[in-house]
Amino acid sequence: MSNFDAIVLGAGAAGLMAAATAGQRGARVLVVDHNDEPGRKILISGGGRCNFTNIGTVPERFVSANPHFAKSALGRYTPADFLALIEKHGIAWHEKTLGQLFCDGSAKQIVAMLMDECLAGHVSFAFGQAVRDVAHGDGRFRVTVGSIVHEAPALVVATGGPSIPKLGATGFAYDLARRFGMKVVEPRPALVPLTLGQGEALFRELSGVSTEVVARAGPAAFREAALFTHRGLSGPAILQASSYWRHGEAVGIDFAPDAPAGWLRAAKRAQPRTTLKRLLPVPERLAVALVEQLGVAGDLGNVPDKALEAAEVRLGDWRFTPNGTEGYAKAEVTVGGISTAELSSRTMEAKKLPGLYAIGEAVDVTGWLGGYNFQWAWASGWAAAQAI
Ligand code: FDA
């Protein structure tokens, strides 16, 4: 038997932040992970350069059954706080686009930084070992790892979501939460490519074509690149929309996001001898496919206004009905998770079971693409550590 003040399950972004912060506040902390090394998702993130935060972080850029839940933690540990840590460790960084901050060098620097911070907090680690059992009684949690039982009054669930199982991702957090009587908002793959069925095979033939669009799903709209793949649709605009997409629903794509209302009729008056294919602000292969589907071939001067109006409407909101996603194997994150209704938004502690905390992606808070998910991991980990 070994005793700690807190046991953190999961040595990912949230778990390492919570452990380092609690350790530096004087708590004796153990981190347990079944992987042999910490932070495997951090290491491959951002194409190996880790998009570690986004300076445009606002609660509206997170998906959750309770859109207010993330406000407290995000407001108390901000991108500027994480940036201060990065600079303290002398890690060079740059802003790429849309407020996304990346390491100049490598994501390895982020893991090394977090491990250094853990060292400064005298954090203990148990890597490469599965959690065999978690029990609770007399206000203490008992975690069996291998043949050793570790005990602490605080247990922090930081095992993330099931996206990318080959990196060691599991739904362990959900099973544990359910065992302790907590609700779990139905998890589903997010920031994930969408697949198209036979009916939309024409578009799958455009594999490799990319164009700037506005992609809409549910209440959300994203203006970024969309990419046609041999299985369906991908690219940042689609990945973003996928977090809001539900089975059976359509995704709307605006292929001419800068075109003003009435642009096709205006073009007909100004250039009656031009064609729709030439006017479309998309790569030629895609323009050919769209024109074929619209049935608006030939000079615009010969196309009735009504047909141009109908084409304009369709081009501004082209409906695709995906038959699914590429699943957890390709999803960058998981939407859903441990219900925020079960947790204090200030401390991440379970309302019904004092001493139990849930942080990071395990919780029903999912950020947009672009550094938001790490910012949530840092902020929720930090918030829990203040209470341990
Ligand atoms: P995380 O998944 O990081 O950590 C969970 C840990 O728990 C893992 O170490 C795992 O091994 C361990 N674990 C799981 N089950 C266990 C069990 N049963 N027993 C013991 N240990 C267990 N986000 C972002 O903001 N910027 C970016 O650039 C990227 N890029 C990116 C690329 C790719 C390819 C992916 C898959 C994801 C991203 N993300 C991202 C998302 C980001 O990686 C993710 O949201 C955070 O890592 C979540 O942090 P957590 O600590 O919650 O979980």
Side-chain angles (χ1 to χ4, degrees), residues 4-172:
F4 292 91
D5 296 315
I7 299 171
V8 177
L9 302 181
L16 293 176
M17 173 56 96
T21 310
Q24 290 179 25
R25 284 167 49 83
R28 288 167 307 147
V29 183
L30 170 71
V31 178
V32 180
D33 200 298
H34 62 178
N35 278 346
D36 291 334
E37 57 172 358
R40 285 191 68 187
K41 272 192 192 168
I42 301 174
L43 292 173
I44 59 150
S45 68
R49 290 227 164 97
C50 186
N51 177 194
F52 55 79
T53 192
N54 193 299
I55 52 173
T57 296
V58 285
E60 292 72 24
R61 295 184 176 178
F62 293 81
V63 185
S64 171
N66 177 358
H68 303 293
F69 181 83
K71 286 182 183 169
S72 172
L74 291 174
R76 285 181 299 137
Y77 190 88
T78 65
D81 292 319
F82 193 74
L83 207 46
L85 192 61
I86 293 273
E87 298 208 317
K88 184 179 115 187
H89 286 258
I91 299 174
W93 58 275
H94 61 279
E95 179 181 346
K96 199 169 172 190
T97 175
L98 302 171
Q100 302 167 3
L101 305 192
F102 286 75
C103 298
D104 287 358
S106 157
K108 285 182 192 158
Q109 293 172 286
I110 301 291
V111 176
M113 175 188 86
L114 293 166
M115 291 302 280
D116 280 354
E117 290 290 316
C118 283
L119 193 67
H122 308 288
V123 173
S124 304
F125 289 96
F127 287 133
Q129 298 183 54
V131 176
R132 284 185 33 219
D133 187 44
V134 178
H136 179 256
D138 305 327
R140 296 183 73 77
F141 292 90
R142 285 172 201 87
V143 177
T144 310
V145 180
S147 57
I148 305 175
V149 180
H150 302 284
E151 203 179 290
L155 180 70
V156 184
V157 183
T159 51
S163 295
I164 321 274
K166 70 172 188 221
L167 294 176
T170 68
F172 179 87

Side-chain angles (χ1 to χ4, degrees), residues 182-200:
M182 296 161 81
K183 289 198 186 71
V184 173
V185 174
E186 192 198 344
R188 52 183 216 282
L191 298 182
V192 64
L194 299 172
T195 55
L196 296 175
Q198 283 309 321
E200 288 163 314

Side-chain angles (χ1 to χ4, degrees), residues 175-184 342 352-353 356:
D175 300 338
L176 192 69
R178 287 193 189 102
R179 260 189 51 203
F180 285 121
M182 296 161 81
K183 289 198 186 71
V184 173
E342 305 284 357
K352 290 182 215 148
L353 186 50
L356 181 66

Side-chain angles (χ1 to χ4, degrees), residues 263-264 274-280 287 291 294 296 298 300 311 315:
W263 68 288
L264 283 181
T274 195
T275 61
L276 178 58
K277 193 186 99 180
R278 254 186 255 142
L279 281 178
L280 281 173
V291 166
L294 290 167
V296 179
L300 284 191
L315 285 167

